Amino acid sequence: MTDRGKIDSLRLPVNGPGSSFSELLEARKPDLLPERDVKGHVEVPEGTTVLALRYAEGVVVAGDRRATEGFQIAHRSIEKVFAADDMSAVAIAGAAGPAVEMVRLFQTELEHYEKVEGERLTLEGKANKLSQMIRANLPAAMQGLVVVPLFAGFDENREYGRIFKYDVTGGRYEEDDYHATGSGGKDARGSLKKRFHPDLTRDEAIKCAIEALFDAADEDVGTGGPDLMRGIFPTVAAISSEGLVEVPEDEIRALFEEVISERGGEVRGPESHPVDVRRPGEEG
Amino acid sequence: MPMPYYVSPEQLMRDKADYARKGIARGKSVIALEYSDGILFMAENTSATLHKISEIYDRIAFAGVGKFNEFEQLRIGGIRLVDMKGYAYSREDVTAKSLANAYSQTLGNIFTSEVKPYECEILVGAVGEETASNELFHILYDGSVSDRTGWVAMGGASDQLNEYLENHYTKDYPKSVPDLKASVAMGHDALKTVEERDLTAEGLEVAILDRARARRKFRRLPAADLTKLL
């Protein structure tokens, strides 16, 4: 009768897993934890571009909808921006399967802690927890299953939005203004760099995010632009002291249409190409 | 070696039950009422941090009376159980029925096989799509479960509270159940009448399972909101 936890799962051993859900799984159902000991190299669908930027009242997180597998499109409407809880979001880039699993564990971890302790973890605490989870994924990352999320949320103690980026070892770096990651991350960052300023309003920040994703999709084959034919648009969430709100699809669609009409005039089509190119049909 | 005195099983169980009942009767009470948009839980509790009422899962809430450390242990155990189940399968697979069953098994085992039974009673409530599909499971110190409708009172003054609610709660369940304001008033009046003194919003712990909310239906009503409702 020394280990009561084994006899009856509703009774708590004093030295049990406390308020951490992943420690609980480790103790009771380790098979449910993500596989860490991966051998060999595997090809899986990859999520591409996600970004986050701060605005006056909080932070905006956005991501395109494409998953690729080599040069193939693996999925056209994958979700990459997830609410971690009411006050924060994770945006995933890299191996989609392990990333989505990591997000699910992270979400459960935060909710479990909140319910057991009666209060939410601080934003700092959440960011550190995610960092540990990425570090635990390092052996899998060495075999090609790299997961590098962006984490952003509203810090209720400091009363402003914060953005954290990670490296594959779980290294955690806070960004002051904006960050983008994934295959189109560099292009999105370039776009954000030109448009970002610290006093953006919510609407301006969302427009900034949309333009950055548009620019990334323009330059990077892995990043999906707005799919007008199927009605698939990137996902955007805004987090302020009021909590996380997903930006409605209509608003995102309208903003893309705005970007297209604004830029349409600047784009030169093939007709106006300066080089004299003759098409077969025009001959003679 | 001296032989222990023989005690008949009947006597043993009766003694344990008396012991548990006495412990529970010393504590404060909790009531639950089904209202038009969900389930209301109300308790007299001067502590803002040591809760009698808490969230278990999306649609499920927990209330406990009696010894705090004992029902707190059951509460955390319950959260662990449902979070693991929801993670392994899906969120919809977590049901109040299976949780109530697990609690019942645990309390039953403790009651029969341990020297000291738990001095607590618990309530597992789950809000459904409509009033008729709400669930309220009342689990006693010995593991016996009852499936209740409309209202439940447990704890120190449960007999008087049950009588009060029997007389005041609608007879036309589930067709016409009171709205939130009316049920808060009813719960408040019940506690006031039984305790024979005035209870302010600060001295009450109130939470709801509100079916209009998004995924997580549980919400505490802070004293400010409660004052407006009273």
Side-chain angles (χ1 to χ4, degrees):
Chain A
M1 290 286 278
T2 46
D3 189 0
R4 284 211 175 112
K6 284 219 169 73
I7 295 157
D8 189 331
S9 64
L10 284 176
R11 302 185 70 184
L12 313 177
V14 175
N15 56 354
S19 38
S20 165
F21 183 72
S22 37
E23 281 174 40
L24 175 68
L25 280 190
E26 198 144 351
R28 301 258 174 85
K29 292 248 173 86
D31 54 308
L32 289 181
L33 281 170
E35 186 57 58
R36 281 165 188 174
D37 194 18
V38 184
K39 302 258 181 340
H41 193 92
V42 274
E43 281 285 335
V44 293
E46 300 258 342
T48 47
T49 308
V50 290
L51 61 87
L53 72 153
R54 281 178 60 193
Y55 66 99
E57 288 93 44
V59 57
V60 162
V61 190
D64 76 315
R65 303 288 291 275
R66 181 173 291 176
T68 56
E69 205 170 343
F71 291 106
Q72 301 277 312
I73 290 183
H75 205 286
R76 289 181 208 282
S77 58
I78 189 177
E79 290 274 353
K80 300 180 199 172
V81 179
F82 298 91
D85 62 0
D86 292 344
M87 284 294 171
S88 60
V90 203
I92 52 164
V100 171
E101 199 182 349
M102 187 184 285
V103 168
R104 214 158 83 81
L105 184 57
F106 186 55
Q107 288 168 328
T108 312
E109 178 82 35
L110 299 190
E111 190 186 313
H112 187 78
Y113 182 95
E114 186 185 334
K115 289 190 294 197
V116 171
E117 296 280 326
E119 55 197 325
R120 269 197 283 267
L121 274 168
T122 59
L123 194 70
E124 196 84 25
K126 294 177 209 171
N128 285 339
K129 182 67 214 179
L130 187 57
S131 168
Q132 291 156 20
M133 291 169 71
I134 298 165
R135 191 166 59 231
N137 186 58
L138 185 59
M142 304 288 277
Q143 307 302 319
L145 300 174
V146 176
V147 178
V148 271
L150 261 181
F151 178 63
F154 187 82
D155 190 322
E156 289 171 281
N157 298 331
R158 293 178 176 77
E159 296 184 336
Y160 55 77
R162 297 171 76 186
I163 298 167
F164 298 91
K165 68 173 180 184
Y166 295 90
D167 67 26
V168 70
T169 65
R172 195 202 87 175
Y173 314 93
E174 183 164 2
E175 286 288 341
D176 286 334
D177 311 321
Y178 60 85
H179 190 66
T181 182
S183 65
K186 194 158 176 278
D187 302 302
R189 282 200 298 278
S191 175
L192 285 168
K193 189 176 191 171
K194 290 292 174 202
R195 293 191 176 85
F196 180 85
H197 63 86
D199 307 318
L200 291 172
T201 64
R202 172 190 175 273
D203 292 355
E204 286 166 350
I206 293 170
K207 181 84 187 288
C208 250
I210 297 275
E211 295 215 45
L213 285 174
F214 193 86
D215 287 328
D218 213 20
E219 298 297 328
D220 171 47
V221 284
T223 307
D227 190 336
L228 297 165
M229 191 173 75
R230 297 184 181 83
I232 301 167
F233 295 92
T235 34
V236 186
I239 313 164
S240 66
S241 59
E242 309 282 299
L244 181 142
V245 181
E246 275 185 38
V247 180
E249 202 178 276
D250 295 345
E251 195 178 333
I252 298 170
R253 175 195 283 265
L255 283 168
F256 268 113
E257 280 162 2
E258 203 178 300
V259 171
I260 291 166
S261 69
E262 277 167 14
R263 293 190 184 183
E266 299 162 13
V267 181
R268 284 197 295 185
E271 281 74 20
S272 59
H273 204 279
V275 183
D276 186 22
V277 182
R278 287 206 159 198
R279 291 180 185 143
E282 293 169 43
E283 221 91 28
Chain B
M1 206 177 133
M3 285 288 286
Y5 290 111
Y6 172 76
V7 184
S8 73
E10 290 87 354
Q11 184 62 44
L12 190 66
M13 291 302 150
R14 219 168 22 243
D15 286 354
K16 279 188 177 181
D18 282 347
Y19 176 83
R21 267 199 295 268
K22 270 184 207 152
I24 294 161
R26 276 195 294 273
K28 296 259 191 300
S29 317
V30 172
I31 51 182
L33 292 167
E34 291 185 38
Y35 73 98
S36 49
D37 298 316
I39 304 174
L40 168 82
F41 298 85
M42 192 182 259
E44 190 194 351
N45 189 355
T46 43
S47 168
T49 43
L50 303 174
H51 297 301
K52 289 180 185 294
I53 304 161
S54 341
E55 175 185 15
I56 293 276
Y57 211 64
D58 297 351
R59 303 177 155 272
I60 307 173
F62 171 99
V65 291
K67 256 188 125 188
F68 181 79
N69 69 317
E70 293 177 349
F71 69 75
E72 174 73 0
Q73 191 179 63
L74 292 170
R75 178 185 77 91
I76 296 172
I79 293 172
R80 289 183 174 172
L81 191 78
V82 296
D83 273 351
M84 281 210 290
K85 192 171 177 194
Y87 185 76
Y89 304 109
S90 93
R91 298 197 78 89
E92 285 99 77
D93 293 315
V94 174
T95 59
K97 186 186 72 184
S98 80
L99 178 65
N101 226 327
Y103 278 137
S104 155
Q105 293 299 327
T106 300
L107 282 168
N109 283 341
I110 293 167
F111 186 77
T112 44
S113 60
E114 307 234 341
V115 179
K116 180 203 162 308
Y118 272 18
E119 299 157 74
C120 66
E121 277 177 38
I122 55 175
L123 181 67
V124 174
V127 62
E129 291 299 332
E130 65 238 15
T131 302
S133 53
N134 288 344
E135 291 170 301
L136 285 171
F137 295 103
H138 181 190
I139 302 135
L140 298 184
Y141 52 85
D142 62 354
S144 49
V145 198
S146 55
D147 185 357
R148 306 283 298 268
T149 49
W151 45 269
V152 180
M154 54 182 197
S158 61
D159 289 347
Q160 297 103 295
L161 285 168
N162 273 319
E163 197 185 321
Y164 185 95
L165 292 169
E166 175 87 65
N167 294 332
H168 290 78
Y169 193 79
T170 176
K171 299 277 179 285
D172 196 19
Y173 177 92
K175 273 196 214 107
S176 82
V177 285
D179 64 4
L180 181 60
K181 200 172 156 62
S183 23
V184 167
M186 192 187 298
H188 186 226
D189 287 342
L191 289 171
K192 260 193 330 198
T193 313
V194 168
E195 295 287 329
E196 294 175 340
R197 62 196 158 84
D198 197 25
L199 294 168
T200 60
E202 283 74 25
L204 290 173
E205 181 186 348
V206 180
I208 50 172
L209 281 171
D210 178 357
R211 76 167 64 86
R213 288 172 64 79
R215 181 170 65 80
R216 290 166 76 178
K217 313 285 184 193
F218 183 85
R219 188 167 86 89
R220 294 189 185 284
L221 293 183
D225 290 12
L226 198 56
T227 313
K228 269 181 239 158
L229 282 166
L230 287 172

